[in-house]
Amino acid sequence: MAMFESLTKRLEGIFQNLEGRGKLTEDDVNSALREVRIALIEADVNLKVARQFVDRVKQKAIGADVMGSLSPAQQVLSIVQEELVEVLGGSDDKNKLDLSGNPNIIMLVGLNGAGKTTSAAKLANYLRKQHGSRPLLVAADMYRPAAVNQLKTLGKQIQVPVYSEPAGSDPVDICVHALDYAREQACNTIILDTAGRINIDERMMQEVVNIRDRVRPHEVLLVADAMTGQEAVRVAQDFNDAVSLTGMILSKMDGDARGGAALSIRTVTGVPVKFMALGEKLDAIQPFYPDRLAQRILGM
Amino acid sequence: EETDLITDTLWDDLEESLLAADVGPRTVIWLIERLRERADAEQMRTGAQVQRALREELVDLLGDSSPLHLSQRSPLTVMLVIGVNGSGKTTSIAKMAARLSHEGHKVMLAAADTFRAAAIDQLKVWGERISVPVISQQPNADPGAVVYDAIQAAQARGSDVLIVDTAGRLQTKYNLMEELKKINKIIQRFVPDGPHELLIVIDAPTGQNALLQARKFAEDIGLTGVIITKMDSTAKGGFAFAVTDDLGVPIKFIGTGEKVEDLIPFDPQSFVAALFAQE
Ligand SMILES: Nc1nc2c(ncn2[C@@H]2O[C@H](COP(=O)(O)OP(=O)(O)OP(=O)(O)O)[C@@H](O)[C@H]2O)c(=O)[nH]1
Ligand SMILES: Nc1nc2c(ncn2[C@@H]2O[C@H](COP(=O)(O)OP(=O)(O)OP(=O)(O)O)[C@@H](O)[C@H]2O)c(=O)[nH]1
Ligand SMILES: [K+]
Ligand SMILES: [Mg+2]
Ligand SMILES: [Mg+2]
């Protein structure tokens, strides 16, 4: 993170003329929040979301007492961080997966290469180990070369069955048939791995709507790459409009991407983050902790 | 024309549209400052003049477009394709290979991603589709050994271009970056002036992490070019300006879809035009 001067340092620079005690004035707060806004955009938070967020924080920061051992910079940072955790969903129950169905049907959707197939296998592995589920993976990507083989290989690694059909089969049919297969095999959790698609590709978006309409999943999760930039909002909105997302998996959080996209998506669509994925190994998935992401976004 | 004055709103709008395209705060602040200076110095009077100047500046940052470098000295040109997970490396390789073989080159592919599930199969399916041979070993084989094999095979069969597909890796993973250096060294050992292209693949939806990726890959093994994929999305790929300016390395191709023909040579003018296009 060497390329960006840390937000703490920048805020300390701004407040260096301010005495350690007293109240934060509107001017102090404005110049501090300009730095916060830039830091958020550097973390890939959407512009409009960053502005909206900063406005929220402003109300809380003006007139805040600067006291105790906190410097004014730390004071502003702690308000920002608290607010960030709040916006990211705090300890909201919405952050948890709905496993009340019988069977549970979980559909993964998202842009090409976001990490759907890998996440599908991770989720199967996680649910089996943590919840004693009996998962079935469903290979519904009929487009990407060797997509079915990819899922089969992953299924084998975690010893979870994979339902697939020959090349040329219709993805909607595959998902419908998979429900019957799950019943026969006594699987109670069905995870649908759909093809990657661009949110403005109408034909491909219609396909995923058709799958949703026929299969009625309890969870429709957007797999969002932590490296995504400003367009994350548009992508999430388009998928949300098409298939009513119930949550997201933030993938590739094992690198140094700050993951601001998740804040944007959560703010604009209300779709909660349910999991973070942190690597290519099949146990590299964990439930979402808003405070960890908040720190990450702020580069702390 | 009196309505098209240079106002604060104009500057705000420009700043906003650049930021929204992922150009990044640093580059945007620099650009706007430079434009304000130019607007003064050149006594610009209309917003249209400023807009034109901005496009010039942006095109300048991108540098010239440049085709793939094919070695004149070595009978075999080797291209190494690298980048983070899922950016579009394998697909872009298939597209480039199809292009090159269409131009009359004898192309071969090396399946040096031996790690990701079915990565080898994926490249093989592409190889069959475009009628280009793929050299591969078993899953989890040493990628260096695959590259060695592929060079031998390419030389033996008289291929003139070998493109090496590598596993996706985040630039922060030390071991994986070391593995890449090893692959690079093997190429250097057997093809002395190679690799002739070291191409990083970054997808258009990427935000500010793109610069960190490009810098680290450049630092660890060097880069000769950039491919930006998924430009058929609504993302504009605005990180490109910081990347080319920072590394001084050209963008070679733009990926615009999943099909083999969806690869176009990079054109700075149309890239900049697309940045401001509303869909
Ligand atoms: N480092 C890292 N890599 C990941 C993570 N999740 C997935 N990947 C890798 O990202 C690449 C793409 O993952 P896939 O699961 O194939 O993505 P996908 O969304 O199914 O791709 P399409 O089906 O082509 O749209 C692969 O190389 C995965 O190994 C993660 O959390 N961290
Ligand atoms: N829409 C679109 N999809 C693309 C483009 N290029 C690649 N893809 C898709 O992106 C996904 C990932 O592509 P791959 O070529 O497998 O990416 P990769 O970098 O080789 O992935 P790993 O080897 O897992 O790191 C696949 O679904 C591709 O079809 C493009 O230009 N546009
Ligand atoms: K685009
Ligand atoms: Mg997939
Ligand atoms: Mg690949």
Side-chain angles (χ1 to χ4, degrees):
Chain A
M1 218 57 53
M3 67 174 294
F4 304 124
E5 199 183 340
S6 82
L7 182 58
T8 318
K9 262 221 188 103
R10 279 192 262 171
L11 292 183
E12 273 162 4
I14 285 176
F15 288 124
Q16 68 193 358
N17 299 323
L18 190 82
E19 285 300 308
R21 314 255 166 248
K23 284 185 192 301
L24 293 178
T25 68
E26 186 162 354
D27 278 351
D28 297 332
V29 169
N30 280 340
S31 37
L33 290 185
R34 202 168 307 128
E35 293 298 327
V36 172
R37 182 171 161 261
I38 292 174
L40 291 175
I41 296 169
E42 277 170 351
D44 291 322
V45 175
N46 180 278
L47 285 192
K48 298 193 178 86
V49 173
R51 188 171 303 134
Q52 210 177 312
F53 178 81
V54 160
D55 285 345
R56 261 181 86 127
V57 171
K58 189 170 169 181
Q59 307 313 320
K60 307 216 161 159
I62 294 174
D65 290 316
V66 178
M67 49 184 194
S69 54
L70 290 186
S71 70
Q74 287 168 332
Q75 178 82 357
V76 170
L77 262 182
S78 90
I79 296 170
V80 166
Q81 205 174 337
E82 232 168 72
E83 206 56 26
L84 212 44
V85 172
E86 176 74 28
V87 176
L88 284 169
S91 52
D92 200 336
D93 273 349
K94 269 174 70 180
N95 298 346
K96 298 211 180 72
L97 210 57
D98 172 12
L99 292 173
S100 63
N102 189 21
N104 292 297
I105 306 177
I106 302 169
M107 174 164 89
L108 302 192
V109 299
L111 293 182
N112 303 81
K116 294 172 294 297
T117 305
T118 314
S119 298
K122 287 178 186 174
L123 210 50
N125 195 32
Y126 176 88
L127 292 177
R128 202 189 50 180
K129 285 188 174 155
Q130 302 296 318
H131 295 270
S133 308
R134 290 186 307 279
L136 174 70
L137 286 161
V138 181
D141 177 357
M142 287 288 106
Y143 308 98
R144 167 170 164 165
V148 174
N149 252 346
Q150 185 187 0
L151 192 67
K152 279 186 180 167
T153 305
L154 296 175
K156 212 174 275 167
Q157 285 172 17
I158 52 174
Q159 292 165 326
V160 166
V162 174
Y163 181 78
S164 66
E165 291 186 14
S169 307
D170 173 48
V172 181
D173 291 341
I174 294 171
C175 294
V176 172
H177 299 162
L179 301 189
D180 293 333
Y181 184 81
R183 203 171 310 120
E184 287 164 23
Q185 301 293 315
C187 294
N188 62 6
T189 304
I190 300 162
I191 303 174
L192 310 173
D193 176 31
T194 66
R197 64 201 78 224
I198 299 294
N199 49 306
I200 51 171
D201 183 333
E202 282 173 27
R203 192 182 58 83
M204 288 297 284
M205 290 304 279
Q206 186 57 49
E207 180 199 88
V208 87
V209 169
N210 292 345
I211 296 177
R212 193 271 319 258
D213 289 349
R214 290 290 298 282
V215 174
R216 296 264 142 221
H218 305 88
E219 290 278 3
V220 181
L221 305 180
L222 177 73
V223 179
D225 186 323
M227 297 177 271
T228 315
Q230 295 287 316
E231 281 297 296
V233 162
R234 168 81 190 272
V235 171
Q237 275 176 324
D238 287 351
F239 274 101
N240 197 28
D241 289 348
V243 290
S244 305
L245 300 171
T246 60
M248 75 180 122
I249 299 177
L250 191 60
S251 68
K252 307 180 197 172
M253 278 295 281
D254 44 325
D256 57 3
R258 309 263 290 273
L263 176 70
S264 310
I265 296 174
R266 171 81 210 219
T267 305
V268 173
T269 62
V271 170
V273 187
K274 298 208 170 177
F275 288 96
M276 297 213 295
L278 295 124
E280 296 190 76
K281 300 227 177 72
L282 296 183
D283 56 3
I285 191 163
Q286 54 176 240
F288 175 58
Y289 301 104
D291 47 338
R292 288 188 200 170
L293 184 59
Q295 291 193 351
R296 181 72 165 262
I297 289 173
L298 295 173
M300 298 167 73
Chain B
E1 277 305 302
E2 285 195 8
T3 50
D4 184 30
L5 297 174
I6 304 176
T7 58
D8 281 347
T9 318
L10 171 76
W11 294 114
D12 288 348
D13 287 350
L14 288 180
E15 182 182 292
E16 187 138 335
S17 63
L18 291 168
L19 287 172
D22 290 308
V23 176
R26 304 201 146 221
T27 310
V28 171
I29 290 167
W30 179 85
L31 268 169
I32 297 286
E33 228 153 71
R34 170 143 179 85
L35 274 177
R36 278 181 182 273
E37 279 166 18
R38 274 190 63 180
D40 272 352
E42 296 167 32
Q43 299 179 341
M44 292 181 199
R45 291 175 38 230
T46 65
Q49 285 175 303
V50 175
Q51 303 258 14
R52 213 171 306 130
L54 172 60
R55 282 169 201 231
E56 284 167 20
E57 293 294 335
L58 288 168
V59 167
D60 269 1
L61 283 176
L62 291 173
D64 290 329
S65 53
S66 101
L68 288 174
H69 168 65
L70 294 155
S71 179
Q72 303 302 315
R73 273 203 295 154
S74 162
L76 179 65
T77 293
V78 181
M79 304 183 184
L80 185 59
V81 179
I82 58 185
V84 300
N85 306 84
S87 61
K89 293 175 292 300
T90 306
T91 311
S92 299
I93 287 168
K95 293 172 179 176
M96 283 194 291
R99 246 188 126 77
L100 287 165
S101 57
H102 192 73
E103 288 165 9
H105 292 282
K106 210 170 162 209
V107 186
M108 187 176 273
L109 303 178
D113 178 358
T114 58
F115 175 74
R116 212 213 56 228
I120 299 169
D121 292 344
Q122 185 188 4
L123 194 67
K124 278 186 177 166
V125 171
W126 274 119
E128 259 160 50
R129 275 192 200 171
I130 61 173
S131 307
V132 164
V134 175
I135 301 301
S136 64
Q137 294 182 7
Q138 292 306 304
N140 300 316
D142 171 22
V146 175
V147 171
Y148 172 78
D149 260 13
I151 291 172
Q152 303 292 312
Q155 287 171 339
R157 293 191 216 170
S159 303
D160 67 329
V161 181
L162 173 68
I163 312 181
V164 179
D165 186 20
T166 61
R169 68 200 76 222
L170 300 182
Q171 73 282 2
T172 50
K173 306 259 159 119
Y174 178 81
N175 289 336
L176 296 180
M177 294 306 274
E178 289 299 306
E179 178 195 270
L180 205 52
K181 289 182 192 169
K182 235 182 83 187
I183 293 175
N184 197 27
K185 274 196 193 122
I186 289 169
I187 297 171
Q188 286 166 350
R189 178 154 7 119
F190 296 98
V191 183
D193 59 334
H196 306 89
E197 289 281 9
L198 280 147
L199 302 171
I200 186 171
V201 179
I202 308 177
D203 64 12
T206 308
Q208 298 310 298
N209 196 248
L211 188 56
L212 300 182
Q213 293 169 25
R215 277 193 180 154
K216 187 74 168 98
F217 278 102
E219 199 178 291
D220 282 8
I221 63 160
L223 292 176
T224 62
V226 182
I227 298 173
I228 302 181
T229 58
K230 309 180 196 171
M231 278 296 284
D232 47 324
S233 70
T234 51
K236 310 285 191 189
F239 56 77
F241 302 96
V243 167
T244 50
D245 184 50
D246 198 70
L247 304 179
V249 150
I251 300 167
K252 302 240 166 178
F253 287 107
I254 296 292
T256 59
E258 296 188 70
K259 294 193 296 298
V260 72
E261 64 270 22
D262 297 332
L263 185 76
I264 50 179
F266 180 66
D267 171 46
Q269 255 87 17
S270 38
F271 188 84
V272 169
L275 199 73
F276 297 103
Q278 332 260 350
E279 65 288 312

